[in-house]
Amino acid sequence: MIGKIESGGETGNGEESAVRGMAPAGARLRQLAAVAVDAVSPDQLVQRTLRRTGDRLTVTGRQYELNHNVYLVGAGKAVLAMARAAEEALRPHLVRGVLSVPAGGPPPPPPPALVEVHRGAVDNLPDAAAERAAGRIAELAAGLRESDLLLVLVSGGGSALLPAPRPPLTLADKARLTRELAARGASIQELNAVRRALSLLKGGGLARLAAPASCLALILSDVIGDPLELIASGPTVAGSGAEPASAAAAAAVLGRHRLLDEPGVREALAAAAADWERPPAAADGRVHNVLVGSNRLALEAMRAAAAADHRAELLSAEVRGDCGAVAGLLARLAARLASGRPVQLPADLAADLAAAGIPPEAVSALRPPQPGRPLCLLLGGETTVTVTGAGRGGRNQQLALAFAAELERLWTAQAPGRPPAPVALLCFGTDGADGPTDAAGAVVDGATAAAARAQQLEPQHYLADNDSYGFFARFDGGSHHVLTGPTGTNVMDVMALVVEAQGPGPASSL
């Protein structure tokens, strides 16, 4: 449990100065944020997954015999908490373990006594410290016997924490190739294919290395759609039809971008091809990959909590694209619903919603809130920000501020002089960090933009300078910031949009 999620500022009641009638909605949204984080608490997820009876472990119907034969490895932001829960569940059968976790930040709780912890990947970039940790993990896996069980813990950030370039390539070589591919316009799918092929541990490499031992992976997803092969680059997952892990696929990518003849590349790909001549790691039943937590799980918990006093709807766990575009879509939706009229979707808007990962059919089915029963729409995923300014912020704060500005514009255009829209929005990152700031996100409402201008803060200026953090730090004494501190988990971002009944407004499409 993370306890109460705080606002910034000293008084904690700044939301009332924006829309006094919506202040309870802001407080309720903070409660929902706490519910989301608690639902994907890594230790609780592991505790629920590992079911032990005596010397027998059962995980989603598969059974393992325990006889002082469990080894543990992991990489990612959440694996320390996962490891502590695993040690508690498997004591005294855990022999030893190795974890690779991010450097920096406040000191986390101590790791299990039998587990060595390595810190690296400063700024989420592979580095020498992470490479040493990956080497220790590879060494442990390679020494296992058929009777052993390798428990692999995987969470967001794991890819940068498991750099293990295939010889003769070095870490610097692989980083240079990745930069060159990106500069030449390679897609994310192409980059993933090359990363996995040129790694000893990614693309199922860790599971292959652990043979003939059994391999059980508990995976906390920070990727839209939860494709297991992409979470931390799939150390226990060979790939899928959409994301195949093969030397031939990587060679084709490198050839298209004229990088196949870079020093060491052909030799590394030949080694990868030899590895993948064997059947996929899961084909012989040794490997069991289990998704223990995801963005959708957090949203489902929020929906259950919100249903006590709202009509709660989960719209999407796959929101993506530019945060400004997503903010505009949500503002149009909120303004329409707050006006008390049914949603109408022109063809172009339906296409924009689909591109942002929001199902148009789900939006079309929405009905306006009823008096005394607000509507709460829940969304999750991960948007992007195109940085053109010199300010500080993150995608959640930027989205919240852009939403507030666009909502005001739409609402006043529909009916000048009306009270502010009875709408509030929460945007926050479940890991507790939104960009290079100490805030997880922000809460805004229908009068945020006007109230800010009354305090000589122009939202559009801060948006243009990508200084959403600066805006929320100054606005109402910082009380609209969402401050959690590091949560120890990461399932991307969540949003909760509350719309209260306002009464019929002028007719328009969404």
Side-chain angles (χ1 to χ4, degrees), residues 58-156:
T58 303
V59 179
T60 62
R62 189 172 298 199
Q63 294 187 341
Y64 301 90
E65 295 298 324
L66 303 177
N67 186 23
H68 307 286
N69 60 339
V70 180
Y71 295 79
L72 182 150
V73 298
K77 297 178 181 178
V79 298
L80 264 178
M82 297 172 79
R84 287 193 299 273
E87 183 199 37
E88 183 177 338
L90 300 174
R91 189 186 299 123
H93 298 286
L94 179 62
V95 180
R96 62 179 284 246
V98 182
L99 300 179
S100 181
V101 302
L114 296 171
V115 177
E116 61 184 79
V117 176
H118 299 262
R119 304 184 190 281
V122 175
D123 296 328
N124 201 33
L125 296 173
D127 56 20
E131 187 177 21
R132 286 192 294 272
R136 293 288 289 165
I137 288 173
E139 178 185 3
L140 184 152
L144 299 181
R145 303 162 299 177
E146 186 174 2
S147 59
D148 293 329
L149 170 63
L150 180 65
L151 179 61
V152 182
L153 308 176
V154 177
S155 72

Side-chain angles (χ1 to χ4, degrees), residues 61-351:
R62 189 172 298 199
Q63 294 187 341
Y64 301 90
E65 295 298 324
L66 303 177
N67 186 23
H68 307 286
N69 60 339
V70 180
Y71 295 79
L72 182 150
V73 298
K77 297 178 181 178
V79 298
L80 264 178
M82 297 172 79
R84 287 193 299 273
E87 183 199 37
E88 183 177 338
L90 300 174
R91 189 186 299 123
H93 298 286
L94 179 62
V95 180
R96 62 179 284 246
V98 182
L99 300 179
S100 181
V101 302
L114 296 171
V115 177
E116 61 184 79
V117 176
H118 299 262
R119 304 184 190 281
V122 175
D123 296 328
N124 201 33
L125 296 173
D127 56 20
E131 187 177 21
R132 286 192 294 272
R136 293 288 289 165
I137 288 173
E139 178 185 3
L140 184 152
L144 299 181
R145 303 162 299 177
E146 186 174 2
S147 59
D148 293 329
L149 170 63
L150 180 65
L151 179 61
V152 182
L153 308 176
V154 177
S155 72
S159 184
L161 289 160
L162 280 180
R166 285 187 181 276
L169 294 179
T170 66
L171 185 60
D173 292 333
K174 192 175 176 187
R176 180 177 51 79
L177 280 170
T178 301
R179 287 194 301 270
E180 282 291 328
L181 281 168
R184 298 181 188 197
S187 68
I188 185 61
Q189 291 81 10
E190 290 178 319
L191 286 167
N192 285 331
V194 172
R195 285 190 185 114
R196 291 199 297 272
L198 299 183
S199 171
L200 291 170
L201 296 180
K202 296 178 173 66
L206 178 58
R208 286 191 296 271
L209 200 59
S214 295
C215 182
L216 169 62
L218 306 184
I219 303 169
L220 181 60
S221 175
D222 70 331
V223 179
I224 289 176
D226 308 324
L228 299 186
E229 66 274 12
L230 295 188
I231 303 167
S233 297
T236 59
V237 186
S240 70
E243 292 283 348
S246 75
V253 171
L254 290 163
R256 279 196 297 274
H257 294 283
R258 300 182 302 281
L259 293 169
L260 189 57
D261 291 319
E262 292 293 301
V265 168
R266 289 186 182 273
E267 295 92 327
L269 289 174
D275 268 350
W276 284 324
E277 283 177 358
R278 291 177 281 168
D284 58 7
R286 288 189 307 104
V287 180
H288 187 33
N289 292 300
V290 181
L291 182 69
V292 298
S294 66
N295 187 270
R296 180 168 290 277
L297 182 64
L299 293 174
E300 291 284 7
M302 294 175 74
R303 176 165 63 176
D309 45 12
H310 295 74
R311 177 157 55 87
E313 303 281 353
L314 198 168
L315 276 189
S316 174
E318 300 187 7
V319 176
R320 56 188 177 267
D322 178 75
C323 70
V326 172
L329 291 172
L330 294 181
R332 293 176 71 179
L333 175 58
R336 182 64 180 173
L337 290 168
S339 74
R341 298 189 179 277
V343 172
Q344 300 170 0
L345 287 185
D348 60 335
L349 181 56

Side-chain angles (χ1 to χ4, degrees), residues 384-458:
T384 59
V385 179
T386 301
V387 178
T388 57
R392 293 177 65 205
R395 56 183 178 261
N396 288 286
Q397 295 164 84
Q398 185 87 0
L399 195 157
L401 182 54
F403 171 87
E406 181 63 6
L407 176 64
E408 182 199 42
R409 187 190 70 80
L410 292 171
W411 192 250
T412 55
Q414 286 182 11
R418 267 197 301 184
V423 172
L425 176 71
L426 161 79
C427 301
F428 89 107
T430 55
D431 62 355
D434 186 38
T437 77
D438 61 356
V443 175
V444 296
D445 56 38
T448 293
R453 283 195 297 276
Q455 298 173 34
Q456 285 73 55
L457 301 171
E458 173 50 58

Side-chain angles (χ1 to χ4, degrees), residues 454-502:
Q455 298 173 34
Q456 285 73 55
L457 301 171
E458 173 50 58
Q460 291 297 344
H461 167 77
Y462 286 89
L463 286 169
D465 199 33
N466 296 115
D467 194 22
S468 54
Y469 181 85
F471 173 87
F472 287 111
R474 296 175 179 89
F475 177 49
D476 278 347
S479 63
H480 289 249
H481 259 145
V482 176
L483 304 175
T484 66
T487 64
T489 192
N490 181 23
V491 292
M492 302 180 290
D493 306 328
V494 298
M495 291 168 270
L497 174 61
V498 171
V499 184
E500 295 186 3
Q502 168 77 16

